[in-house]
Amino acid sequence: MVAVLGGVLLTSSGCGFLDDLADPEAREPAATSAPTTSPSSPPPLAPPAPAFEPGVVAQAALIADGRSIGTLRVATGAVQTGLVLPFPEFDEDCPVEGPSMQYVAVGFSFTLQAEGGLAGHLTVAPGPSTPADIGEVGVFFEPSYGNDEYCTDGPRLPDTDTFWARGTTSVTGYVVLDDAVGPATPQGRTEVFATLQAQVSDLRLRDDDGEETPLTLGPPSVGVVCPDDEGAFCVPLG
């Protein structure tokens, strides 16, 4: 007979053993000629796997014309300090220097049961508790075909960038603090990321001919939909 009590797996050949556990005084202990050694407790069972991997901040169905056509999951990475973004176009086109930077990667993974690719925007703005002296905040997506141009609107970093994921089920954006590391903050300003307001919006299905179908979001299983836009996620960055 096998039973589980108090989180420990118990095995016995008869029910009297379990009755004794329920009522310790029901039986006198059997006499023994020598002390016995209690068997060692079994190792604790591993905790159940989490429903989602650490870092997932949003997940919901993608809805087109009232029906679900896939899912979208958004995850954030750890803050990276003193590094430029991991593609050369950024360093070549933008007025930034790696030693002063911090960034957080924002990963999008999705499934689609429709022709075309997923397109959308990632926008970041200072929140009510964001310090006024953080410098510029920029948003960039990895290049789609290795020939994208960055920082085309002048010296300021863009606070919105757009993606169109074709032939793939994932894409990565980056939120950048340009002047995070300095004499007064040699370790950077990691705490600032949690104060920023990030929004994933303008989601749409886009085909190779440029035809677009607007998408909304189903009830999220992780995260929250923005209160003023049922087709947008408001996501934390820290």
Side-chain angles (χ1 to χ4, degrees), residues 7-238:
V8 179
L9 184 66
L10 303 176
T11 305
S12 75
S13 58
C15 295
F17 176 68
L18 297 181
D19 291 339
D20 289 352
L21 289 176
D23 185 2
E25 297 181 359
R27 293 190 178 191
E28 292 293 327
T32 58
S33 58
T36 58
T37 302
S38 299
S40 59
S41 299
L45 298 176
F52 305 100
E53 66 266 29
V56 173
V57 294
Q59 178 168 300
L62 295 168
I63 309 297
D65 299 324
R67 64 184 183 89
S68 175
I69 64 164
T71 60
L72 172 63
R73 177 182 293 188
V74 183
T76 57
V79 175
Q80 303 297 314
T81 302
L83 301 172
V84 296
L85 300 187
F87 43 89
E89 294 87 348
F90 172 76
D91 194 25
E92 294 167 359
D93 295 344
C94 296
V96 297
E97 296 182 3
S100 68
M101 277 182 48
Q102 285 186 302
Y103 70 80
V104 166
V106 183
F108 297 74
S109 58
F110 56 90
T111 62
L112 288 175
Q113 290 88 48
E115 294 295 326
L118 182 66
H121 294 173
L122 175 61
T123 302
V124 175
S129 60
T130 302
D133 62 345
I134 62 168
E136 290 193 56
V137 180
V139 181
F140 304 89
F141 277 95
E142 60 188 343
S144 55
Y145 290 100
N147 57 0
D148 290 14
E149 294 184 2
Y150 293 87
C151 299
T152 57
D153 294 331
R156 291 191 58 82
L157 302 184
D159 57 10
T160 298
D161 201 7
T162 300
F163 69 90
W164 177 19
R166 294 165 287 174
T168 182
T169 58
S170 64
V171 65
T172 303
Y174 299 87
V175 177
V176 172
L177 290 183
D178 185 20
D179 297 320
V181 180
T185 55
Q187 303 303 316
R189 305 186 69 176
T190 299
E191 73 283 354
V192 168
F193 286 95
T195 72
L196 299 175
Q197 296 179 332
Q199 186 178 81
V200 179
S201 65
D202 295 277
L203 294 168
R204 56 207 186 275
L205 185 68
R206 180 182 173 91
D207 65 21
D208 289 339
D209 295 325
E211 294 292 328
E212 295 186 344
T213 301
L215 301 175
T216 58
L217 296 168
S221 55
V222 179
V224 295
V225 172
C226 296
D228 58 347
D229 186 350
E230 66 178 2
F233 274 133
C234 286
V235 298
L237 297 175

